[in-house]
Amino acid sequence: MAKSRRPPPIEIIPAATLLTAYSRGIFPMAEERDDEDVFWIDPDRRGILPLDEFRLSHRLARTIRSTRLRMTVDTAFSEVIAACADPGPQRPKTWINPLIERSYGNLHSKGHAHSVEVWDGPNLAGGLYGVSIGAAFFGESMFSRQRDASKIALVHLVARLKAGGYRLLDTQFVTEHLKQFGAIEIPREHYRDLLRDAVDRSANFYVLGGAGEAVCAGTVLQLMTQTS
C-alpha cells in the first residue's frame, strides 16, 4: 500500500488571503512557536478598544510627559514581531510562529501591516504591531523590555489612529492589561457591523509622520483628551 505524503509546510500566507480574512473578522494564530501551520479564528465575542473612550491614567500621562524614550513607526517591523514572539515570564508560550513572521513581514512590505517602536537611545525598549485595512486597525501583539514601554506604544498608536481618522481598533481578545485602557468585549454580529463600516472608509496611518520620524510626547498627549 502506498503511503500518503504529508503536504509540504506553507511558506507564506498570501497577503490577499490575510486581508480578505481580516475584512471578514477572521485572523490566524499558531498553537505554539514550533508549529508549521496556523488555524483561523472567528470568536463569538470580540475585543475592541473604542478610540473615543480610551483611558489614559494620570500616572502614565506623567510618564510620557517626562520620558526620554522616543516613539517611531515602521522602522523595525521585523525586530518588533520577533520580540513579540519571544517567550517571557508573563508569556511562556507564543502563538507567533515563523509562518506568521514571514507572512506579516510580507504584509508590511505591501503597506498593510505596521509597527510602533519605543526606543531608549539605540535600543528597542518596547513596541507593537498590527494590520491596517481602511479605517480599521487590528492590533496583534505587543512587548516591553522596560517598564511602561508597551503602554507608551499603545498610547502612541491610539493617538495616531485618532488623528488619522480610524474608526475601529480591534484587540481580538480582552485582557486585564487592556481593560485598564477601556477595552470591551462585544458580540460577533455587532463587531461585524463596526468592521464593515470601518474597512469601507479611508484613514491615514502616517498623519503624525512616516517611518523613522520621531513623535514627541507632547503631540501624543495633546491628542489624548480623556484621562482617568
Side-chain angles (χ1 to χ4, degrees):
M1 178 184 294
K3 294 183 178 179
S4 60
R5 293 184 178 180
R6 184 180 179 182
I10 301 170
E11 288 297 321
I12 196 169
I13 305 169
T17 299
L18 284 170
L19 295 175
T20 298
Y22 275 94
S23 297
R24 296 175 179 174
I26 304 168
F27 58 91
M29 297 180 73
E31 286 284 359
E32 55 188 26
R33 176 69 174 165
D34 294 334
D35 277 0
E36 294 182 341
D37 207 344
V38 297
F39 60 96
W40 297 85
I41 301 178
D42 183 9
D44 290 335
R45 298 187 65 80
R46 193 65 164 251
I48 65 168
L49 210 171
L51 293 170
D52 291 336
E53 298 174 22
F54 184 82
R55 296 200 293 263
L56 175 62
S57 70
H58 293 300
R59 186 196 69 79
L60 185 55
R62 288 194 300 270
T63 296
I64 295 173
R65 191 174 293 112
S66 62
T67 187
R68 68 180 185 278
L69 302 177
R70 293 183 298 111
M71 294 167 274
T72 60
V73 297
D74 289 347
T75 62
F77 185 88
S78 59
E79 291 89 342
V80 167
I81 193 171
C84 289
D86 284 341
Q90 304 296 325
R91 184 175 52 194
K93 290 186 178 181
T94 178
W95 54 267
I96 302 171
N97 65 357
L99 174 59
I100 286 178
E101 288 191 66
R102 293 192 300 270
S103 301
Y104 286 76
N106 178 56
L107 205 59
H108 171 66
S109 72
K110 298 181 183 301
H112 292 290
H114 300 287
S115 57
V116 175
E117 302 94 17
V118 178
W119 301 92
D120 185 356
N123 301 313
L124 193 58
L128 58 82
Y129 78 97
V131 175
S132 178
I133 305 175
F137 191 90
F138 309 85
E140 288 295 307
S141 187
M142 62 177 64
F143 78 98
S144 187
R145 292 172 177 160
Q146 293 185 24
R147 184 184 180 188
D148 291 333
S150 64
K151 294 178 181 179
I152 291 171
L154 180 60
V155 173
H156 179 181
L157 174 68
V158 170
R160 184 171 288 268
L161 298 184
K162 291 177 71 172
Y166 281 78
R167 303 292 291 265
L168 175 65
L169 174 51
D170 172 10
T171 67
Q172 299 178 347
F173 305 104
V174 173
T175 64
E176 291 301 317
H177 177 72
L178 291 173
K179 281 182 181 179
Q180 67 185 292
F181 298 103
I184 60 173
E185 196 175 60
I186 60 175
R188 179 192 290 156
E189 290 308 314
H190 183 193
Y191 170 78
R192 286 179 175 171
D193 289 341
L194 297 176
L195 178 64
R196 280 191 291 267
D197 176 70
V199 298
D200 286 340
R201 296 176 181 267
S202 60
N204 181 6
F205 186 78
Y206 295 121
V207 69
L208 295 184
E213 297 183 42
V215 178
C216 70
T219 299
V220 169
L221 290 176
Q222 188 175 6
L223 291 165
M224 308 308 298
T225 57
Q226 184 174 352
T227 60
S228 60

